[in-house]
Amino acid sequence: MKSFSSKLQEKHVIEVNWAERWQVYQRLQELDIPCWCEANEPLTAQIDNTLAAIQVWSVMRQFTASRQELVWTLELCWQHRYQ
């Protein structure tokens, strides 16, 4: 029987444009996030902790946010940094 403190390993299907899924897969591999992307199958990633969840969110944002949204985010970060 596993204790409540044992690590949960959950696999999540990541909804991403089929044309971009290999780029997302490659980036997640670079970040050492276990993921699978087989032919004609959706991209799946194993998210074990909060850091991995944030990294997946960030990678997905790079591919799904509009250019203007990304510019606004950068501007907001720079404004907070220099205030």
Side-chain angles (χ1 to χ4, degrees), residues 27-46:
R27 184 62 185 130
L28 295 178
Q29 288 285 315
E30 291 169 359
L31 294 169
D32 293 325
I33 296 173
C35 55
W36 304 265
C37 189
E38 297 181 21
N40 299 318
E41 295 292 327
L43 175 60
T44 304
Q46 184 172 318

Side-chain angles (χ1 to χ4, degrees), residues 16-31:
V16 62
N17 181 312
W18 284 87
E20 297 171 338
R21 71 188 179 118
W22 285 107
Q23 289 177 289
V24 173
Y25 169 81
Q26 290 288 336
R27 184 62 185 130
L28 295 178
Q29 288 285 315
E30 291 169 359
L31 294 169

Side-chain angles (χ1 to χ4, degrees), residues 74-83:
L74 283 175
E75 288 174 349
L76 185 62
C77 290
W78 280 103
Q79 287 173 5
H80 286 296
R81 182 172 185 195
Y82 290 107
Q83 284 184 352

Side-chain angles (χ1 to χ4, degrees), residues 2-73:
K2 291 184 180 181
S3 70
F4 287 111
S5 62
S6 66
K7 236 181 169 181
L8 292 177
Q9 295 185 353
E10 296 200 27
K11 295 178 183 172
H12 298 274
V13 172
I14 299 175
E15 294 184 29
V16 62
N17 181 312
W18 284 87
E20 297 171 338
R21 71 188 179 118
W22 285 107
Q23 289 177 289
V24 173
Y25 169 81
Q26 290 288 336
R27 184 62 185 130
L28 295 178
Q29 288 285 315
E30 291 169 359
L31 294 169
D32 293 325
I33 296 173
C35 55
W36 304 265
C37 189
E38 297 181 21
N40 299 318
E41 295 292 327
L43 175 60
T44 304
Q46 184 172 318
I47 301 173
D48 295 332
N49 55 54
T50 306
L51 178 59
I54 292 169
Q55 288 176 315
V56 169
W57 173 83
S58 178
V59 170
M60 292 304 301
R61 184 161 167 74
Q62 291 174 342
F63 288 93
T64 59
S66 70
R67 184 178 188 284
Q68 187 58 52
E69 287 176 296
L70 296 173
V71 168
W72 287 333
T73 301

